[in-house]
Amino acid sequence: ALNSKFLGSTEVEQPKGTEVVRDAVRKLKFARHIKKSEGQKIPKVELQISIYGVKILEPKTKEVQHNCQLHRISFCADDKTDKRIFTFICKDSESNKHLCYVFDSEKCAEEITLTIGQAFDLAYRKFLESGGKDVETRKQIAGLQKRIQDLETENTELKNKVQDLENQLRITQISTPPAGSVTAKSPSTDIFDMIPFSPVSHQSSIPTHNGMQPPPVPSRSNEIKRDLFGAEPFDPFNCGAGDFPPDIQSKLDEMQEGFKMGLTLEGTVFCLDPLDSRC
């Protein structure tokens, strides 16, 4: 853990650039000069740097004020004239805006920026060993899932065609009399051997040859992906939203994009006039 004074954060237009952080540092320093003249002290914070990110905590209560994940940090710089000042740009997780954080450290700022750079490198390696592979694996699973859905649809269509052919064959066998026999002409029937309803007809049905109605053909539901109990069958390639934290794929893609952008470490001069150096 590192103790530091927190000059604050401000929105910037770009994720990288010396001029970008230089303007942000001057802006925050000027704001601090005004607050200091009003008797306000610069708040102190505790920095925790790890492969999971840079946490900014209140020193006494340990309350997390900001949690900057490493794949969202794109630029980090320290002041070559004022050895205590360092800054980094991080993309906010909620607003997706780029924010520049500025600190006045009790230790050498260059060591802190190097520590953040090393943590970023380790986090990227860890991501490649685990999460990075998951991204490609999930893309392959998504392709397999679509293929399975296509095959299920095709299989259902084939089952329907087979069922229709069986019904037609059964009707043909029932309606065709044996060779040489003479049968009385009877009203035409439907596939269930039932007389179609007619308002002038007093007969509701006619029996089949064995005196019983054939069992009705079960209706085919439009919901293909449900079993006879009405539940969706288990599919290991298609997990519901409640099985995992929301939007895992989007999170992995975001991490991959952030790490690919890389972290730029730079030593520069922030204080261009004497007023800037007096915090």
Side-chain angles (χ1 to χ4, degrees):
L2 303 169
N3 294 321
S4 175
K5 294 179 181 179
F6 184 35
L7 273 66
S9 63
T10 183
E11 182 182 350
V12 293
E13 296 296 327
Q14 301 294 330
K16 296 177 184 286
T18 303
E19 290 298 326
V20 175
V21 294
R22 183 176 292 159
D23 291 342
V25 169
R26 296 187 67 177
K27 177 181 177 180
L28 290 173
K29 277 190 173 184
F30 182 74
R32 283 302 172 190
H33 279 304
I34 295 177
K35 291 184 178 181
K36 191 173 182 180
S37 65
E38 296 174 350
Q40 298 184 28
K41 293 183 178 181
I42 301 176
K44 291 185 178 182
V45 294
E46 180 180 306
L47 295 177
Q48 291 183 355
I49 304 172
S50 68
I51 62 172
Y52 302 105
V54 179
K55 285 185 178 180
I56 304 173
L57 298 86
E58 205 286 324
K60 294 181 180 179
T61 63
K62 303 300 180 182
E63 179 183 357
V64 179
Q65 298 178 350
H66 302 277
N67 186 13
C68 304
Q69 295 173 306
L70 287 175
H71 69 274
R72 290 180 170 271
I73 300 177
S74 53
F75 192 84
C76 190
D78 56 90
D79 194 339
K80 291 304 179 187
T81 56
D82 189 342
K83 301 294 185 180
R84 301 172 305 165
I85 301 297
F86 73 96
T87 177
F88 62 80
I89 297 176
C90 179
K91 189 175 182 180
D92 185 69
S93 59
E94 295 182 359
S95 66
N96 279 333
K97 295 179 179 179
H98 297 288
L99 300 178
C100 183
Y101 295 80
V102 182
F103 302 88
D104 183 355
S105 173
E106 297 177 357
K107 294 185 178 180
C108 180
E110 184 179 6
E111 295 179 4
I112 298 176
T113 56
L114 289 175
T115 302
I116 295 176
Q118 291 170 354
F120 184 93
D121 184 57
L122 290 174
Y124 185 34
R125 292 181 184 180
K126 185 177 180 65
F127 173 77
L128 291 178
E129 292 173 358
S130 57
K133 294 179 181 179
D134 289 343
V135 172
E136 298 302 324
T137 301
R138 289 179 181 275
K139 288 180 179 179
Q140 293 177 6
I141 290 176
L144 290 173
Q145 179 180 339
K146 186 178 184 304
R147 178 59 178 159
I148 290 173
Q149 291 175 347
D150 293 341
L151 290 173
E152 286 179 348
T153 301
E154 182 180 350
N155 185 44
T156 301
E157 292 175 353
L158 290 174
K159 285 182 178 179
N160 292 341
K161 290 180 179 179
V162 170
Q163 185 67 55
D164 291 340
L165 290 174
E166 289 178 351
N167 291 338
Q168 293 176 10
L169 180 59
R170 183 167 56 84
I171 293 172
T172 303
Q173 291 174 345
I174 293 174
S175 61
T176 302
S181 64
V182 178
T183 57
K185 184 177 180 181
S186 61
S188 60
T189 59
D190 59 12
I191 60 173
F192 302 108
D193 205 22
M194 301 285 290
I195 298 177
F197 172 77
S198 172
V200 297
S201 174
H202 298 286
Q203 282 185 303
S204 60
S205 65
I206 60 172
T208 58
H209 295 290
N210 58 6
M212 298 180 61
Q213 293 287 345
V217 179
S219 61
R220 294 187 295 272
S221 172
N222 292 328
E223 297 182 2
I224 297 173
K225 295 182 179 180
R226 292 188 179 275
D227 58 22
L228 73 159
F229 299 106
E232 294 185 3
F234 172 73
D235 184 354
F237 296 101
N238 185 17
C239 296
D243 295 335
F244 293 104
D247 216 5
I248 291 180
Q249 182 63 50
S250 176
K251 181 67 175 178
L252 289 172
D253 289 341
E254 173 206 315
M255 293 179 67
Q256 188 177 43
E257 180 182 353
F259 280 127
K260 280 187 175 181
M261 179 184 289
L263 171 62
T264 302
L265 299 181
E266 188 170 327
T268 187
V269 177
F270 297 138
C271 303
L272 302 181
D273 53 67
L275 176 64
D276 284 340
S277 61
R278 297 196 303 269
C279 292

